[in-house]
Amino acid sequence: MTNHIIIGGGVIGLTLAYGLACQNESVVVLERGAGGQGTSRAAAGMLATDIELREELHALAARSRRLYPLLARRLERETGIDCGYREQPFLLKRKGREHLFPAVGQIDPRRLTTALMYALHARGISIEEQVEVTRIEESDDFVRIESNAGTWTGRTVTVAAGRGSQALLDTAGISIATYGVKGECLAVRLAGQPLRSILFDDAVYLVPKADGRILIGATELPHDETVGVSVAGVTSLLQAAERLYPPIRDAVIEEVWSGVRPQTASGLPYIGVADSSRRIFLATGHHRHGILLAPATAEVLVNTLRLIQKEEVR
C-alpha cells in the first residue's frame, strides 16, 4: 500500500507528487490521459499580479511566486530541462487605467510539466496513465481506488483532476460545486524586434516566451466543455491583440488550442481535506490560476499530509 495516491497528472497533481517525493514519501499518480497534456498544457504561464486576483488569494499567490524560481532551478538541476521561468515587465490595462509592473514572473507550463514528470520518474515515482478512476472508497485505515486498470490502496488520496474532480468525489459521497470554463488560445511568431513585456487588458493578453513565440489568450466561455477552437474565438482574440499591440498583425499563427478550467461558485479553489473525511483531500477549482498557485497548493498539502501521517504513527 502506498502512502499517497494523487488523481490527476496536471501541474497541480505533479507538483504535489514532486513535493511528497522530495520528502521521501511513497506516491503514485493516476492520470486518465497522458501526464501534463490536459488543461495545464493550454495555460500561458503568467504568474498573475494581485490586481487580477481575489483578495483572499493574495497570500497564497505571493507564496507561490516566491517558490517558483526555487522550483524551476531545482528541476533544471535534476532534469536539465529549463522550465522557462523568467521575470519581465508587465503592463496591465484595466478599466481605462494602466498599471506597469517592472518584473512579473512567468513559467512555460509545457516545459514545467515535462520536467516534473522526468524528475518523478528519476525518483521512482509511478505515473499511471490512461487510468479512468471509477470509484473512491474511504475506510478508517485506508482509501481504495477502483479504475478501469485495477485497484489501488493508499493511506490518503488527493483529487486534483480539474473539471473531473467533482464526479470522482461524488463516488465517495463528497459534494463540491464547480463548472467548466472553456478558454481558447493561440501562439504566433513575430519576426524582427521581439515583444519584451507581458501585455494584458480586459479583452486579451500577450505573453512572449523565451523561444520567440507570443501566446495570445484567452476566451472565457462558462459552461462550455466542447473540444476545439472556434473561428469566432480566434478572430476576437486577434482583433483585441492588434488593438493592444498593432505589430501583431504581421505575426504568423503557429498553433491554436483550448482547455476547460474548473471554476467554483465562490471563485476560490478547494485545497485541503474534504468535509467529513480524514483521508480524502482536494486540490481543484483553481480556474485560470492553477499554474500560479500550484507550488503553494502543493506546499500546503504536503505539510498537512505529513502531519496526519506523523499523528497516525503516534
Side-chain angles (χ1 to χ4, degrees):
M1 180 169 65
T2 190
N3 281 343
H4 308 290
I5 299 171
I6 298 170
I7 303 176
V11 67
I12 291 176
L14 293 174
T15 306
L16 173 58
Y18 181 69
L20 289 167
C22 289
Q23 298 294 327
N24 298 315
E25 297 285 344
S26 62
V27 188
V28 63
V29 178
L30 307 180
E31 164 56 41
R32 66 179 178 179
Q37 297 300 303
T39 302
S40 296
R41 185 177 183 273
M46 291 179 294
L47 306 185
T49 66
D50 284 347
I51 292 177
E52 303 161 67
L53 300 171
R54 293 176 60 108
E55 186 175 354
E56 297 94 327
L57 293 176
H58 287 183
L60 194 67
R63 180 60 182 162
S64 248
R65 294 190 197 100
R66 290 193 294 272
L67 290 171
Y68 251 117
L70 305 175
L71 175 63
R73 286 197 296 269
R74 185 170 190 174
L75 287 171
E76 186 168 7
R77 285 197 303 270
E78 291 187 23
T79 68
I81 297 173
D82 177 0
C83 297
Y85 180 82
R86 59 199 295 213
E87 296 181 4
Q88 60 194 145
F90 185 112
L91 177 62
L92 174 66
K93 296 184 178 181
R94 175 151 293 178
K95 297 179 180 178
R97 300 183 60 186
E98 290 191 358
H99 307 269
L100 178 61
F101 301 87
V104 172
Q106 64 153 294
I107 197 85
D108 187 318
R110 298 182 185 186
R111 293 186 180 189
L112 173 61
T113 53
T114 299
L116 285 165
M117 291 184 68
Y118 270 77
L120 288 168
H121 284 308
R123 289 174 175 269
I125 301 302
S126 178
I127 302 173
E128 303 289 340
E129 299 181 319
Q130 310 303 324
V131 174
E132 192 76 37
V133 174
T134 55
R135 182 176 176 81
I136 302 172
E137 184 176 347
E138 181 181 17
S139 71
D140 289 340
D141 299 319
F142 62 87
V143 181
R144 176 185 171 92
I145 307 298
E146 298 179 1
S147 78
N148 64 330
T151 62
W152 281 265
T153 57
R155 297 197 181 281
T156 69
V157 62
T158 298
V159 180
R163 182 67 183 103
S165 298
Q166 183 168 325
L168 291 175
L169 291 164
D170 280 344
T171 69
I174 296 169
S175 296
I176 63 172
T178 64
Y179 59 92
V181 181
K182 180 177 176 178
E184 300 162 305
C185 301
L186 66 152
V188 304
R189 193 173 295 274
L190 182 62
Q193 186 70 18
L195 178 63
R196 299 189 182 279
S197 301
I198 298 172
L199 304 180
F200 196 122
D201 72 5
D202 295 323
V204 71
Y205 57 71
L206 283 73
V207 184
K209 293 296 181 180
D211 62 3
R213 293 177 303 144
I214 300 173
L215 272 54
I216 301 174
T219 57
E220 290 271 320
L221 304 171
H223 307 290
D224 184 344
E225 303 192 37
T226 60
V227 176
V229 180
S230 68
V231 171
V234 171
T235 301
S236 67
L237 289 172
L238 288 173
Q239 290 174 343
E242 185 175 343
R243 288 193 298 270
L244 185 59
Y245 186 61
I248 208 74
R249 70 170 64 93
D250 298 321
V252 175
I253 297 175
E254 289 197 345
E255 184 183 3
V256 297
W257 65 90
S258 68
V260 177
R261 299 159 295 196
Q263 175 66 297
T264 65
S266 68
L268 300 174
Y270 294 99
I271 302 171
V273 67
D275 290 343
S276 72
S277 173
R278 290 190 66 251
R279 300 187 180 276
I280 301 175
F281 290 77
L282 313 180
T284 191
H286 293 69
H287 187 35
R288 62 190 298 169
H289 302 305
I291 301 294
L292 165 64
L293 298 177
T297 296
E299 183 179 63
V300 168
L301 289 171
V302 166
N303 291 339
T304 304
L305 290 166
R306 297 197 75 217
L307 179 61
I308 288 174
Q309 186 170 324
K310 287 180 180 178
E311 289 176 349
E312 289 186 342
V313 170
R314 293 173 190 167

